[in-house]
Amino acid sequence: MLKPPIDFYFDFSSPYAYIASEWIGAVAARHGRTVNWRAILLGATFQVTGLKPPVEFPLKRDYLLRDVARSAAYAGVPLRMPEVFPIPTQNAARVFWWLHAQDTQRAVAWARTGLRAYFARGINLSDPAALKALCEESGLDAEAAEAAWNAPEWKAKLKSVNEAAIATGVFGAPFFVIDGEPFWGNDRQAQIEAWLASGPPRGIA
Amino acid sequence: MLKPPIDFYFDFSSPYAYIASEWIGAVAARHGRTVNWRAILLGATFQVTGLKPPVEFPLKRDYLLRDVARSAAYAGVPLRMPEVFPIPTQNAARVFWWLHAQDTQRAVAWARTGLRAYFARGINLSDPAALKALCEESGLDAEAAEAAWNAPEWKAKLKSVNEAAIATGVFGAPFFVIDGEPFWGNDRQAQIEAWLASGPPRGIA
C-alpha cells in the first residue's frame, strides 16, 4: 500500500525552512514517502493569525539569528544570513507554482535553488533582476518566469494555496503535515523521523 | 577543572519547561555539569519584550497543546494538561527562591514537585489552599511558605531575578545558558547534548 505523502510548507524567506528543505527529501525517502512541496507566504499567515515575524522582537531576533547559524551548522547545511532579511518572496513563490503546474519535480528543483540562492549565496530574491538571472542560471525561460509572477493566474494560485494552508492550521514555516499530524519547525526533525518509523508515540491517538 | 554550571530558566506554568525539568539534571550530570535552576515569570518577560503567550493565538494554541502532548510522550514524561492553563505562578516561584536562600537542593526538589503537581496531577498552583497543601505534602512548613510568598523580600527577589534574566536575553521558557551560549526550548535538547559533548559546531565561534 502506498503511504501518503508528506506536506511540506515553506517560505523562501524562512531560514529554518531552508535548513529543513535540505533534509526532508532524504528523510521521506528513507521511509518510503514522497514530499508535497508547498510554497507559501508567511506574511499572509501572520496577518490572519495576528502573529508577527519573530525577528520583529529585538531580544528574540538576536537569539534567532544565533540559533539559525547554530542549527545550520549542526545540520551540516551551508548558511550565510543575507544582508537584507526578511524579504517579500511572492515572485519566487509564484514561479514555484507556475512550474508546479507543468512539472512538480522542476518546481522542487526551483524551490531548492531559490532557498540556497538566498541563504547560501546572498542572492536577493525580491530583486526582479536578480530573480530573472537566477531563473536563467537554472535553465528556465526568464521572460516567461517574469510574466508568470506578474500574471493574475499565479497571483490567484498563491493566494488560494495560502488560504488552504491557513485553513489546515499552518501558521509558520517550515510546517509539515504527516498522516494528518502537524509538525512545526526544523527542530521537529527527530519527532518526524520517529513518527515515520513507528507512528504516534504511546498515549497519543 | 570544574566546568561551569548550566543556567536553567523555567516558569511553573510552562509545559515545555516541565518536560525539560525531567531531563536536564541527567543530561548535565552525564557531562560533569551542575544545573542552576532559576524560577522566573514569563508574564514579566512577555511584557518587556512585547511578546504574547503563544496560547493567545487560537491556531497556535491548538497546535501547541497537540505538540506538548506529543513531546511529553516522546520524552516519556507523564503529562496531562491542566484544566486551568496558563496560571499565575508568582507564589510557587517565591517559595522556590525562599527555599533557594536556605538550601538550593530543597529549592530544586520544590521546583520538580511543583511542575509535576501542576502538569501531571492537575494541582492548581495559583490556588493558595492547594499550594499550601502541596507545601505540607512536601515536608515544608506551609505557614512559613505562605508568609514567604506574601513577603516583600521574596517579591523583590523574584523581581530582580526576572530583570536579570531579561538582561541576559531570556524571553521564553525553558531557556538554558551554557558557556554563555543561549538555548531556547525543550526541543533544543539534542543541540545541548552535542554542545556539552563537543562544544560549538564547526563554523560557530
Side-chain angles (χ1 to χ4, degrees), chain B residues 21-201:
Chain B
S21 76
E22 294 283 336
W23 57 256
I24 186 62
V27 166
R30 271 207 295 283
H31 297 280
R33 305 270 190 148
T34 57
V35 180
N36 275 341
W37 292 57
R38 295 180 182 277
I40 58 167
L41 296 183
L42 277 184
T45 65
F46 288 149
Q47 270 178 11
V48 170
T49 54
L51 290 160
K52 283 185 191 176
V55 291
E56 280 191 17
F57 304 94
L59 215 55
K60 212 168 176 177
R61 181 185 174 94
D62 291 348
Y63 173 78
L64 287 183
L65 294 179
R66 177 97 194 147
D67 184 63
V68 161
R70 193 175 60 208
S71 298
Y74 276 127
V77 169
L79 182 143
R80 193 180 62 196
M81 277 306 288
E83 279 174 39
V84 188
F85 171 81
I87 53 169
T89 56
Q90 66 272 28
N91 290 348
R94 288 176 198 144
V95 170
F96 173 88
W97 287 109
W98 167 65
L99 290 171
H100 196 269
Q102 304 163 42
D103 177 346
T104 58
Q105 285 316 303
R106 284 184 81 195
V108 170
W110 167 251
R112 299 197 63 176
T113 296
L115 286 161
R116 283 183 182 166
Y118 183 47
F119 286 110
R121 300 167 61 198
I123 294 172
N124 184 341
L125 305 179
S126 72
D127 169 14
L131 193 60
K132 279 181 79 172
L134 185 67
C135 286
E136 247 171 71
E137 187 192 294
S138 310
L140 302 177
D141 178 338
E143 295 298 326
E146 185 180 33
W149 80 58
N150 285 317
E153 182 181 357
W154 304 111
K155 292 181 180 180
K157 172 66 182 177
L158 180 56
K159 194 162 180 285
S160 81
V161 167
N162 260 307
E163 285 165 359
I166 292 163
T168 301
V170 174
F171 57 83
F175 204 100
F176 311 84
V177 180
I178 306 174
D179 308 330
E181 182 77 7
F183 297 87
W184 172 44
N186 174 62
D187 45 28
R188 287 298 173 277
Q189 182 179 358
Q191 289 194 11
I192 287 170
E193 298 236 28
W195 186 282
L196 291 172
S198 328

